[in-house]
């Protein structure tokens, strides 16, 4: 489910607040975001927003937790064949042709990620999300090794490399001229897949040894 659709039919006040934050963040970016601009997107009483949150950063930490929980919950399950599971995960984390909404959201997340350098509460949320993704990669790699599909190697090390590569591609996508962004992301994805194939997949000769 695209993130925007998550807020189309909110089921409670928290979801309405998170939807208002999402719209305001995408429209104004972190630097220009204010509680007032978030409240302008909130359909209920503005006093309700101020009652729950004292500052923009307090609300954004809650929003970040909400969004990362959603993203983690939509990570494809790893019960497919290891190669298919790995491909599905890469499609989820590093799409080569992101929609306009995905691009907009990536920019917003990168802006928030920049604040993690000086805001421990943001850092905690991004650390949790990174560990979730890395653990899923490790599980896929380990399963492939157990089935004899993947070579024996340090799964943690390779997973850390994959996550760092994806993070770098997202930052580049959000902070460079969009004219050639898709081309660059596709090149990164292609090279990442080439690297994983060379490092991970056992040849027919190795499989019979």
């Amino acid at each position: 489910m695209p993130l925007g659709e998550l807020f189309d039919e909110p089921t409670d006040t928290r979801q309405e607040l998170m939807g208002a934050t999402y719209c305001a963040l995408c429209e104004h970016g972190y630097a220009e975001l204010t509680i007032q601009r978030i409240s302008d997107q909130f359909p209920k009483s503005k006093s309700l927003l101020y009652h729950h949150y004292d500052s923009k950063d307090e609300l954004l930490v809650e929003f970040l937790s909400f969004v990362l929980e959603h993203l983690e919950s939509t990570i494809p399950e790893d019960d497919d064949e290891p190669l298919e599971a790995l491909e599905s995960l890469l499609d989820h984390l590093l799409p080569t042709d992101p929609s306009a909404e995905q691009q907009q959201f990536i920019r917003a997340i990168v802006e928030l990620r920049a604040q993690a350098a000086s805001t421990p509460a943001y850092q905690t949320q991004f650390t949790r999300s990174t560990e979730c993704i890395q653990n899923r990669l490790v599980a896929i790699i380990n399963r492939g090794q157990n089935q004899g599909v993947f070579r024996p190697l340090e799964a943690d090390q390779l997973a850390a490399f994959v996550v760092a590569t994806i993070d770098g591609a997202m930052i580049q996508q959000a902070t460079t001229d969009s004219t050639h962004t898709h081309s660059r992301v596709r090149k990164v994805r292609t090279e990442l897949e080439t690297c994983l194939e060379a490092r991970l997949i056992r040849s027919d000769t190795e499989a019979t040894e």
Side-chain angles (χ1 to χ4, degrees):
M1 174 192 295
L3 188 63
E5 293 182 13
L6 185 64
F7 305 118
D8 284 348
E9 297 181 2
T11 57
D12 54 33
T13 298
R14 179 179 183 244
Q15 200 167 354
E16 287 180 323
L17 282 168
M18 297 302 100
T21 304
Y22 172 73
C23 291
L25 182 61
C26 287
E27 180 177 347
H28 300 288
Y30 177 85
E32 301 298 325
L33 189 66
T34 63
I35 286 287
Q36 180 59 51
R37 283 177 167 164
I38 295 172
S39 70
D40 289 342
Q41 302 281 350
F42 186 51
K44 294 183 178 178
S45 168
K46 305 301 185 285
S47 62
L48 186 61
L49 189 153
Y50 287 99
H51 174 73
H52 286 284
Y53 302 99
D54 295 328
S55 68
K56 175 181 79 171
D57 282 332
E58 184 179 345
L59 176 52
L60 284 175
V61 168
E62 174 70 8
F63 170 74
L64 192 55
S65 175
F66 180 86
V67 167
L68 293 178
E69 286 172 8
H70 167 70
L71 294 179
E72 290 163 11
S73 71
T74 59
I75 292 175
E77 295 295 331
D78 62 359
D79 53 1
D80 294 329
E81 291 298 317
L83 281 172
E84 293 176 0
L86 186 58
E87 186 72 18
S88 294
L89 188 58
L90 291 179
D91 286 340
H92 183 77
L93 299 174
L94 190 61
T96 56
D97 190 22
S99 66
E101 182 194 348
Q102 285 176 311
Q103 294 178 63
Q104 192 176 41
F105 178 67
I106 287 170
R107 286 194 294 271
I109 287 295
V110 168
E111 284 192 272
L112 289 178
R113 186 154 202 153
Q115 309 309 311
S118 58
T119 308
Y122 287 11
Q123 193 175 92
T124 297
Q125 296 299 331
F126 279 112
T127 298
R128 188 202 73 198
S129 181
T130 296
E131 289 177 348
C132 173
I133 294 169
Q134 187 161 325
N135 288 340
R136 182 62 61 85
L137 276 165
V138 168
I140 293 172
I141 294 169
N142 284 338
R143 190 154 54 85
Q145 290 173 333
N146 291 337
Q147 293 179 13
V149 177
F150 295 157
R151 294 188 177 105
L153 46 72
E154 289 294 331
D156 285 341
Q157 183 171 303
L158 184 59
F161 166 75
V162 172
V163 172
T165 301
I166 291 171
D167 286 346
M170 287 180 60
I171 292 171
Q172 187 178 73
Q173 186 174 349
T175 58
T176 59
D177 185 341
S178 61
T179 305
H180 303 294
T181 293
H182 287 182
S183 174
R184 285 192 292 265
V185 171
R186 281 193 290 270
K187 288 176 182 177
V188 170
R189 172 68 183 269
T190 298
E191 187 62 25
L192 180 57
E193 290 177 338
T194 300
C195 176
L196 288 173
E197 183 175 354
R199 290 272 286 137
L200 267 181
I201 302 176
R202 300 182 68 176
S203 67
D204 292 340
T205 302
E206 291 173 303
T208 58
E209 289 178 355

